[in-house]
Amino acid sequence: DGWVTRPAWQQGFVWLLLLLVYYFAEWPWLLLLCAIVAALGFLAQPRIGLALALLVLPFYEFHKEFDWLGRHWQIPPTQAILLCLLPAAWAYRPTSLKRDRWQGVALSWLAIMLLSAFGVWYWPAYRIGMMNLVITPLFLFFLIRTWATTRQHAHTLVFALAAGGILIAGIGLIDWMQGRGTLADGMRRLTGLGYSSNHTALYLIRTLAIAVGLMLAASRKTKWLRRTTLQ
């Protein structure tokens, strides 16, 4: 409770400091310490962890790579945050889940991907695909449905998604203005942090849709407040 009641600037400073230590750390035990501290922080403020996981989605290529326990590990930022959210997910687990078509879609997706294991011929690629395309999205889906209990919570998470896209758009634009990018058909295209210009464009198009939705929602709220004030 003491941590939650601290001023926002103090909490932000601690999270930023932890992020910087994690970014520059290479020693596995220091990375583990960062994960433990983050997990404790997320136990107190789980929605902050979920918002951060959505914010860093487009930074997938910035893996934290290290050798530990005889293996080479590559952990993308969002998956690292989700690992730290596991204790909070257990502590704040719902007593019951909503049963609707979206839950049916999620379970069907999981079932299809598990059934596809019978035809796997290259297991390393299958495991990576399961983690990136099935387990991570479904865990995010579960946390969003569990913790986004109000419209304000939902708007915060959507804003985090949009902020991540806007951030990589700004980085990509700076990169493009400095003469970097991908040449195609005689035109230098913005690549930024994506695999290619097409990959970046696909993410930015989705960010544009989210941003437009946020602006429309904010416009409706402003009109409602004006009507309420006039009355």
Side-chain angles (χ1 to χ4, degrees):
D1 294 337
W3 167 250
V4 176
T5 57
R6 287 186 177 276
W9 71 268
Q10 293 183 7
Q11 297 182 29
F13 175 78
V14 173
W15 284 116
L16 180 60
L17 180 62
L18 179 63
L19 178 62
L20 289 174
V21 173
Y22 177 81
Y23 180 80
F24 289 105
E26 296 182 358
W27 189 39
W29 290 105
L30 180 56
L31 293 172
L32 180 61
L33 178 62
C34 290
I36 293 173
V37 173
L40 292 174
F42 294 156
L43 275 172
Q45 297 173 303
R47 293 189 181 91
I48 286 183
L50 180 55
L52 286 174
L54 296 174
L55 175 69
V56 300
L57 268 176
F59 295 88
Y60 175 83
E61 280 300 294
F62 285 77
H63 295 81
K64 175 56 68 173
E65 298 191 30
F66 56 95
D67 295 312
W68 195 35
L69 301 177
R71 290 188 57 186
H72 182 72
W73 300 82
Q74 292 183 339
I75 306 179
T78 293
Q79 293 178 12
I81 293 174
L82 290 180
L83 286 173
C84 296
L85 277 169
L86 285 174
W90 177 257
Y92 301 106
R93 65 190 184 278
T95 55
S96 61
L97 293 175
K98 297 178 182 178
R99 296 184 178 180
D100 54 22
R101 64 178 182 273
W102 300 116
Q103 186 187 48
V105 170
L107 292 176
S108 300
W109 183 12
L110 177 61
I112 292 171
M113 293 300 103
L114 290 175
L115 287 173
S116 67
F118 290 102
V120 173
W121 59 273
Y122 186 61
W123 283 100
Y126 176 79
R127 287 194 294 267
I128 293 174
M130 280 292 294
M131 180 58 68
N132 294 340
L133 304 177
V134 181
I135 296 176
T136 296
L138 288 181
F139 190 34
L140 284 171
F141 172 77
F142 167 78
L143 294 181
I144 290 170
R145 286 172 66 88
T146 302
W147 294 341
T149 55
T150 66
R151 181 172 295 182
Q152 182 179 359
H153 296 157
H155 284 177
T156 299
L157 297 180
V158 174
F159 180 81
L161 270 175
I166 293 171
L167 186 58
I168 65 163
I171 294 173
L173 181 60
I174 294 174
D175 186 73
W176 182 83
M177 293 177 66
Q178 292 179 344
R180 292 185 288 270
T182 303
L183 287 176
D185 301 325
M187 181 180 297
R188 182 163 50 84
R189 299 181 179 181
L190 185 150
T191 301
L193 303 179
Y195 298 112
S196 66
S197 56
N198 290 336
H199 177 263
T200 301
L202 286 171
Y203 199 93
L204 293 183
I205 287 173
R206 287 156 177 76
T207 299
L208 177 62
I210 294 172
V212 170
L214 282 173
M215 288 189 293
L216 291 175
S219 176
R220 290 178 181 177
K221 184 176 181 179
T222 301
K223 291 179 180 179
W224 179 82
L225 289 174
R226 288 177 179 174
R227 289 199 299 268
T228 304
T229 302
L230 290 174
Q231 292 174 357

